[in-house]
Amino acid sequence: ENNSIDKKHKYSFQKYSLEEMHKELKENKSFLIEDGIVNIESYFNKSEIYRSDFSCFYEISNKLTGEICSAEISNINITNLNQKERQKIVNEVSILTKLNYPTIQRIIGYSFIDFEHQQNPVIIRENSSNLSLFDLLSKERKGIKNKKWTETKKLINIYGIASGMKYLHSNNIIHHELNSKNIFVDSNLNPKITEFGLLIKPQNSCRISNHSIISNEKEIPYFVAPEILQNIECENEIIKEKASNVYSFAFVVYEIISNKIPFLNIKNQNQ
């Protein structure tokens, strides 16, 4: 892997001054700064969709084209990342923004600064339904039935998710959080896989660079393969294993077929 920054690019992330970066962004009206790195000034921040432990999700629009997109703005500041770590993120973004598959939510670009010009990274994705497969199944468990959620549609979802994962694997991309919460369903209940990528997720970047270890002890990671959990401090090799995605996929299929949450009686990760 070549971690050297191409000197012909105007925007190398050797610069750490937000004022300088912001000034150059305002002068440069182009959409792309580097391959996959977007000019955040090219977008309007419209409205908040929802919040998670690590991020806030917004609906945004492209000032030039009017295209509606979704933006995931991290709550984690990445000032601790050094030049080499930032370049690794740029390399990953360059790969992820080239992906194009019907059951994969497209990543449009990435910014190292947010709309408030703070160093909270932003992932910009194509606009998709906010209804996850987990939400759909939760409603089913509560007796709120959807007439479109037939046995055939369940098989379509299983096949769509499997084919999407095959596409990611064919590009040597591992989904580190494959579960029903990270699969959207559209108005016709067809699946769209999201939240793939490793270093572009700041909580992972911080963990890998040993700047901080972030975990949610209350959430049971039932979809994570045992070997991953047992080697949580040594992610460099084992987290790349495609077999761990097969394990996760199996539990997605289990939820679809049985409409049950795996390991429901488990109260903490140690069990």
Side-chain angles (χ1 to χ4, degrees):
E1 181 182 7
N2 183 9
N3 289 323
S4 63
I5 297 179
D6 190 345
K7 294 182 180 178
K8 70 181 179 180
H9 284 305
K10 179 181 180 182
Y11 289 90
S12 85
F13 286 97
Q14 294 174 346
K15 297 176 181 173
Y16 291 96
S17 168
L18 285 175
E19 291 184 2
E20 283 185 41
M21 187 182 293
H22 180 46
K23 180 180 178 181
E24 293 186 17
L25 286 173
K26 295 192 77 171
E27 292 173 352
N28 182 355
K29 300 301 182 183
S30 63
F31 170 65
L32 286 175
I33 297 174
E34 288 199 36
D35 195 8
I37 304 298
V38 300
N39 183 347
I40 199 68
E41 298 289 338
S42 298
Y43 291 90
F44 288 114
N45 189 354
K46 298 189 68 177
S47 59
E48 182 178 322
I49 301 173
Y50 68 95
R51 292 173 178 263
S52 69
D53 291 339
F54 298 117
S55 306
C56 297
F57 294 79
Y58 291 85
E59 182 181 279
I60 63 173
S61 64
N62 187 298
K63 292 179 180 179
L64 182 62
T65 66
E67 179 186 10
I68 302 298
C69 308
S70 68
E72 179 183 353
I73 304 176
S74 172
N75 298 330
I76 302 172
N77 191 286
I78 59 168
T79 52
N80 286 330
L81 297 184
N82 61 36
Q83 176 187 331
K84 183 177 181 180
E85 290 163 341
R86 286 173 179 241
Q87 184 59 31
K88 285 184 177 180
I89 294 175
V90 171
N91 293 343
E92 182 176 86
V93 168
S94 176
I95 296 171
L96 296 181
T97 52
K98 292 180 175 65
L99 299 177
N100 186 16
Y101 196 77
T103 58
I104 298 292
Q105 187 184 31
R106 186 167 59 92
I107 294 179
I108 296 171
Y110 184 93
S111 172
F112 279 94
I113 60 173
D114 63 17
F115 291 95
E116 302 297 326
H117 312 119
Q118 302 300 310
Q119 291 197 60
N120 294 320
V122 182
I123 305 170
I124 298 177
R125 300 183 177 93
E126 69 170 314
N127 192 40
S128 296
S129 162
N130 295 322
L131 180 68
S132 70
L133 178 60
F134 181 86
D135 295 331
L136 173 65
L137 296 175
S138 294
K139 290 181 178 180
E140 290 278 321
R141 286 190 285 270
K142 294 176 182 177
I144 306 173
K145 304 295 182 180
N146 190 315
K147 293 181 179 179
K148 295 181 181 179
W149 190 240
T150 63
E151 295 302 313
T152 299
K153 185 61 69 174
K154 293 177 183 179
L155 292 176
I156 290 173
N157 270 259
I158 291 172
Y159 176 79
I161 297 165
S163 62
M165 290 307 303
K166 181 180 179 181
Y167 174 77
L168 289 179
H169 284 186
S170 70
N171 287 279
N172 291 319
I173 295 169
I174 307 301
H175 196 311
H176 302 282
E177 296 179 90
L178 180 62
N179 61 79
S180 59
K181 292 182 179 180
N182 290 333
I183 299 168
F184 289 141
V185 289
D186 63 19
S187 57
N188 293 315
L189 304 188
N190 294 317
K192 186 84 80 168
I193 301 169
T194 187
E195 293 294 324
F196 51 89
L198 177 63
L199 298 179
I200 63 170
K201 307 295 288 184
Q203 60 268 31
N204 292 329
S205 297
C206 292
R207 183 184 297 124
I208 289 173
S209 60
N210 292 323
H211 292 136
S212 64
I213 301 296
I214 301 168
S215 63
N216 184 351
E217 295 294 338
K218 295 181 180 179
E219 185 170 342
I220 308 303
Y222 61 83
F223 55 88
V224 181
E227 62 269 22
I228 300 296
L229 289 175
Q230 292 169 5
N231 292 274
I232 198 67
E233 299 288 341
C234 307
E235 294 177 333
N236 289 341
E237 293 299 325
I238 197 164
I239 206 167
K240 298 177 182 177
E241 293 294 330
K242 296 177 181 179
S244 66
N245 276 177
V246 177
Y247 180 96
S248 302
F249 172 71
F251 281 105
V252 174
V253 174
Y254 174 85
E255 285 186 75
I256 292 173
I257 297 300
S258 70
N259 203 14
K260 295 179 180 179
I261 299 176
F263 306 119
L264 190 59
N265 296 324
I266 300 297
K267 301 302 181 183
N268 59 68
Q269 294 185 23
N270 294 328
Q271 289 182 277

